[in-house]
Every structure is written in structure tokens, then in C-alpha cells.
Amino acid sequence: MSDSAGNQGSQLRWKRALLKLSGEAFAGGQGSGIDPPTVRRIAEEIQAVVQLGVELSIVVGGGNIIRGGLASASGIERTTADHMGMLATVINCLALQDALEKLGLQTRTQTGIGMTAVAEPFIRRRAIRHLEKGRVVIFGAGTGNPYFTTDTAAALRAVEIRAQVLLKATNIDGIYERDPKLDPTAKRYEQISHDEAFQMRLKVMDLTAFSLSMEHGLPIVVFDLAQPGNIRRVLLGEPVGTVVGAR
């Protein structure tokens, strides 16, 4: 690592991070599917973070293609529907990997379901080694099990690879006491403990994901992905979004 990269790294609040991206983020203004310019913009945001010296891993959702829960509600057997959703996340992983590699970043995609023709299987020690070598690691197929969301996969993978923070990218600029769309006077929290978020029933992530993060003392930062540069700002410790669990 160069001296300049080392100096930048010393300014980081968190050195190893896991970024949770929703599938909807890949659709841009289309609402569904994959919008290549949007994926490229996300890749450029990730590139700026990696250039700081961050060891970055990513969990991607698949809601832009199919949601297991909705597919199940429409009549598809739940386990089958969830597996369909997991495969959708891998499609997004490959799109993101392609965009990152076109920017010159080394990447590895690992999946919770075996599909060795397109990705590595998830192996914790191998994922950590990739991060130590400066590669971006993208985790697909959720946990590999039905009945678990990609939020839970993000919390699980973050704990497994010993990430220092879980970055929850959303379409809102943090956590509010009430829905700000319904109540413009609702207060946004800048920092809050896991216990406070739990007691106030704040919807940070699904309960399984949140409980796992709380149990392992994993900070969560909820922030607006649409604002350019926000991922970088969060990791540099700037007051962006809402930080849950870190003081």
C-alpha cells in the first residue's frame, strides 16, 4: 500500500465494512430490472471507497427481479419462492461484479448456494483473505437457506468476516421516530444504541438481522444511497445517516 493510501486509511472510522444494497437500487428509475448506468454509478461509489483502503464486502438483494415473499404470496411454495429470490440476487451480483471490474477493481463473488460455474462457494476464511488482498467480495444467494432475508444474510456475513460496521443503503437519509413521509416534523436520529432502537420498535432491519447485529455489537449505519459520495462519507466518520450501536 502506498504512503498516501496509508494516510487515507488512518482517517477511516471503519476499515472493514459490509455494504447491504437492495435489489431495487439496481433498477434506477425503471422500478424493476437492471439499469446499467445506475449500476455503474454504484460501482463508482464503491471504487472511491476502495481507494481509501477500505476492505469492502457487499450483500445484494434481488427485489428488482423477484421477491421470495411476494412470489410465495402469489401461490408458489415458500421454499421454492425463496430459492428463486436467491437466484435473483446472484444476477445482481454478476452485474455489479462486471461494473466493478470495468473500473479496474478486483472482485470475487461468493454464493450461499453452490454454482461454481459463475461464483465461488461462500468460504469464510477465503472471503477474509480476499479482503486482506484488497479485493471486493460480493455475497449472493442470501444465507443459502429459505425463510431468511438478505438483511439477515448481511448481518450474518458481516459477523462471519469480522466487519467493523454494516452499512444499510436505503432511499431515506436515516432512521426517524415516525414516517417522515407522513409526518414532516418527525425527528431523525443521528446516533442511537441497539437497545434504544429495539425498545422504540424502530424499523432498522428485520428482527433476525437486527438481533444478530445487537448480540455481536455490530454497528449499523442507515443512509441514503442516492446522495453521491455518501458511502465514502460514512466510512470517513462524517455525520451521514443514522448510526446504530456505536458511540
Side-chain angles (χ1 to χ4, degrees):
M1 182 181 290
S2 69
D3 289 343
S4 62
N7 290 336
Q8 288 176 314
S10 66
Q11 300 169 11
L12 293 168
R13 183 172 184 182
W14 293 289
K15 169 73 172 176
R16 181 177 293 172
L18 186 142
L19 172 65
K20 169 57 171 57
L21 295 172
S22 69
E24 288 83 355
F26 283 46
Q30 299 177 165
S32 63
I34 296 173
D35 179 50
T38 297
V39 178
R40 179 177 175 84
R41 183 188 71 78
I42 294 172
E44 289 170 348
E45 297 269 325
I46 291 168
Q47 180 186 38
V49 166
V50 173
Q51 288 173 343
L52 290 174
V54 175
E55 296 176 359
L56 188 68
S57 59
I58 303 165
V59 166
V60 180
N64 57 319
I65 299 170
I66 187 172
R67 283 185 173 276
L70 291 177
S72 175
S74 69
I76 298 175
E77 199 276 329
R78 177 60 190 267
T79 300
T80 300
D82 281 357
H83 279 115
M84 292 167 67
M86 291 180 216
L87 295 176
T89 72
V90 178
I91 293 172
N92 285 336
C93 287
L94 296 178
L96 181 59
Q97 178 177 263
D98 179 74
L100 290 170
E101 290 181 342
K102 283 176 177 172
L103 294 175
L105 296 180
Q106 292 190 42
T107 71
R108 295 292 187 275
T109 295
Q110 295 193 345
T111 57
I113 298 174
M115 47 185 78
T116 54
V118 296
E120 297 178 357
F122 171 69
I123 300 174
R124 185 185 69 87
R125 292 173 67 91
R126 182 180 290 177
I128 291 172
R129 187 61 177 150
H130 287 323
L131 292 170
E132 291 172 344
K133 286 180 173 288
R135 298 165 183 153
V136 178
V137 182
I138 310 170
F139 298 120
T143 66
N145 301 289
Y147 300 99
F148 292 96
T149 67
T150 50
D151 273 359
T152 296
L156 176 63
R157 296 290 183 247
V159 171
E160 287 178 307
I161 65 168
R162 300 194 295 272
Q164 297 168 322
V165 65
L166 195 166
L167 308 181
K168 167 84 170 173
T170 69
N171 58 3
I172 193 169
D173 63 345
I175 300 171
Y176 286 77
E177 59 182 347
R178 294 180 297 279
D179 187 341
K181 295 178 182 176
L182 300 177
D183 182 1
T185 67
K187 173 187 174 183
R188 180 175 68 84
Y189 298 104
E190 292 187 3
Q191 200 149 24
I192 191 170
S193 71
H194 284 104
D195 285 338
E196 289 168 335
F198 182 77
Q199 290 168 8
M200 290 188 284
R201 302 286 195 270
L202 299 176
K203 294 180 180 178
V204 181
M205 306 179 83
D206 73 70
L207 187 57
T208 304
F210 184 73
S211 297
L212 188 60
S213 300
M214 181 165 58
E215 179 182 351
H216 291 274
L218 176 68
I220 305 166
V221 183
V222 180
F223 69 99
D224 183 4
L225 180 65
Q227 186 64 36
N230 263 358
I231 304 174
R232 182 178 183 276
R233 293 188 191 100
V234 168
L235 289 167
L236 288 172
E238 295 182 23
V240 174
T242 300
V243 181
V244 180
R247 295 294 183 185

